[in-house]
Amino acid sequence: MTEQEVQDQLAKLATLRDAIAQAIVGQNDVVEQLLIALLAGGHCLIEGVPGLGKTLLARTLGQALHLDFRRIQFTPDLMPSDILGTEVLEEDHGTGHRAFRFQQGPVFTNLLLADELNRTPPKTQAALLEAMQERTVSYAGVTHQLPAPFFVLATQNPLEQAGTYPLPEAQLDRFLLHVRVGYPTEAEERDILSQTTGAAQAAVPQVMTGETVLALQRWVRDVHVSADLLDWVNRLVRATRPGEGAPDVVARYVRWGAGPRAGQSLILASKARALLHGRLAATRNDVAALAAPVMRHRLLLSFAAEAEGRTTDDVIAATLRDVAPPAA
């Protein structure tokens, strides 16, 4: 590609951000992390209390992208077949012949919003495991390919415990990023009140096609990562595992550390962030900015951490301080 073609493609990312801003006030870090997950070809778990626009954010992304978008409201009575699909018996009225046909479920889409994923039992949560990892659905001995690109946005409410089922570690590990949505600033909240209580509704333009998304995902793989940066990511992930040589904060507060998938995710997410900022090489700032979203859902804390009010973000921040980064 020529330099002009590169600049044109990167300009589309800025246009995509502007399109999302038509409906979403503030939340710049959240929007950036969402786009990073999309570019890296991963999935995103969004956590926040009700009313912060988690579902609106996912819907807005679906409107800005020229992709098939579907939403599933997860409830305790939801079954795996409600997500994956099922076989239906069909009869040919001409011959009278009967045969089973697989009827695709809502997972056969490009952008899937799994709303309140932790409200459904583990049996139904597990229905997404193969789809998220392999981009396929297996039913009755037949493997069905999902459309490309395929992107899962799952939301959950961290406050309510009644009627919820915590996501198992195997499910959490399938998410590239765990994004936390905080309260807006005073000025942002005033803008939200103004924009959402009038007659006019924000129109979100479609600014990017599936082919462009796939092309940008291929570009992410080509973003340069130096050997020193790769080594630092490797040491960071390994430092989160209790054992010989682990930082004191990890040895005290962590039961299980991040696995190899965390390192893969941190490298890919850093590459995607570099591309989002118009760079073709990742830096240590990219890694530092994404260490918490990549690893916060991959650490299992000890009882001592819970007793002392320590969080995974505290552990990750301490690990970043203890593991020296490469020279700039």
Side-chain angles (χ1 to χ4, degrees):
M1 282 190 175
T2 65
E3 183 177 350
Q4 184 59 47
E5 288 174 329
V6 172
Q7 294 302 322
D8 290 343
Q9 293 291 347
L10 294 180
K12 291 182 180 180
L13 293 175
T15 305
L16 178 60
R17 272 185 158 181
D18 292 340
I20 294 174
Q22 299 291 324
I24 301 297
V25 177
Q27 303 291 3
N28 295 327
D29 290 342
V30 174
V31 172
E32 175 170 292
Q33 291 174 27
L34 197 66
L35 295 180
I36 286 171
L38 176 67
L39 293 178
H43 310 291
C44 206
L45 177 62
I46 307 176
E47 182 178 271
V49 298
L52 296 183
K54 301 185 298 296
T55 302
L56 176 62
L57 180 59
R59 281 191 175 277
T60 302
L61 180 63
Q63 292 170 355
L65 298 173
H66 190 62
L67 298 173
D68 188 19
F69 169 77
R70 295 186 185 180
R71 173 182 179 270
I72 303 176
Q73 176 63 55
F74 281 77
T75 56
D77 60 346
L78 198 72
M79 298 297 291
S81 59
D82 297 326
I83 301 171
L84 304 179
T86 187
E87 284 189 333
V88 294
L89 184 62
E90 288 189 340
E91 180 179 350
D92 188 323
H93 296 291
T95 63
H97 177 72
R98 293 183 178 182
F100 283 100
R101 180 182 63 84
F102 179 69
Q103 183 173 331
Q104 296 180 350
V107 75
F108 286 85
T109 187
N110 296 119
L111 178 57
L112 177 68
L113 171 58
D115 217 357
E116 296 185 291
L117 180 59
N118 60 335
R119 286 199 173 278
T120 197
K123 175 183 178 181
T124 305
Q125 292 175 6
L128 284 175
L129 286 175
E130 180 188 352
M132 294 174 66
Q133 184 63 31
E134 308 296 338
R135 268 66 171 181
T136 60
V137 168
S138 297
Y139 193 95
V142 179
T143 300
H144 305 269
Q145 194 72 35
L146 291 173
F150 176 68
F151 183 41
V152 175
L153 275 175
T155 69
Q156 68 174 12
N157 176 3
L159 296 182
E160 291 183 283
Q161 300 300 322
T164 63
Y165 304 82
L167 301 181
E169 281 68 28
Q171 184 92 49
L172 288 171
D173 204 32
R174 297 304 197 279
F175 288 101
L176 180 82
L177 299 181
H178 180 184
V179 179
R180 286 182 175 157
V181 183
Y183 288 110
T185 64
E186 182 177 356
E188 290 171 348
E189 191 160 0
R190 186 187 183 284
D191 289 341
I192 291 172
L193 296 177
S194 175
Q195 291 185 18
T196 59
T197 57
Q201 297 295 321
V204 180
Q206 290 186 341
V207 298
M208 192 175 292
T209 65
E211 290 75 14
T212 303
V213 172
L214 291 174
L216 290 170
Q217 288 179 351
R218 290 191 293 269
W219 280 23
V220 165
R221 296 280 178 165
D222 292 331
V223 172
H224 178 69
V225 173
S226 67
D228 289 343
L229 195 64
L230 194 69
D231 179 65
W232 185 45
V233 170
N234 190 39
R235 289 186 288 116
L236 273 176
V237 173
R238 294 181 64 84
T240 64
R241 303 168 191 167
E244 185 178 352
D248 291 340
V249 67
V250 172
R252 180 174 177 81
Y253 297 125
V254 179
R255 290 171 58 193
W256 294 100
R261 191 178 279 132
Q264 296 170 331
S265 299
L266 188 51
I267 290 293
L268 280 174
S270 298
K271 287 184 173 187
R273 185 177 188 271
L275 189 65
L276 191 62
H277 285 262
R279 292 181 277 108
L280 298 180
T283 67
R284 65 182 187 180
N285 290 334
D286 296 321
V287 174
L290 292 166
V294 167
M295 291 195 289
R296 63 168 53 115
H297 56 299
R298 292 182 163 100
L299 303 183
L300 186 60
L301 298 185
S302 64
F303 293 113
E306 296 179 13
E308 297 180 28
R310 301 285 183 170
T311 66
T312 53
D313 283 15
D314 295 332
V315 173
I316 294 167
T319 305
L320 284 169
R321 291 192 298 267
D322 289 342
V323 181

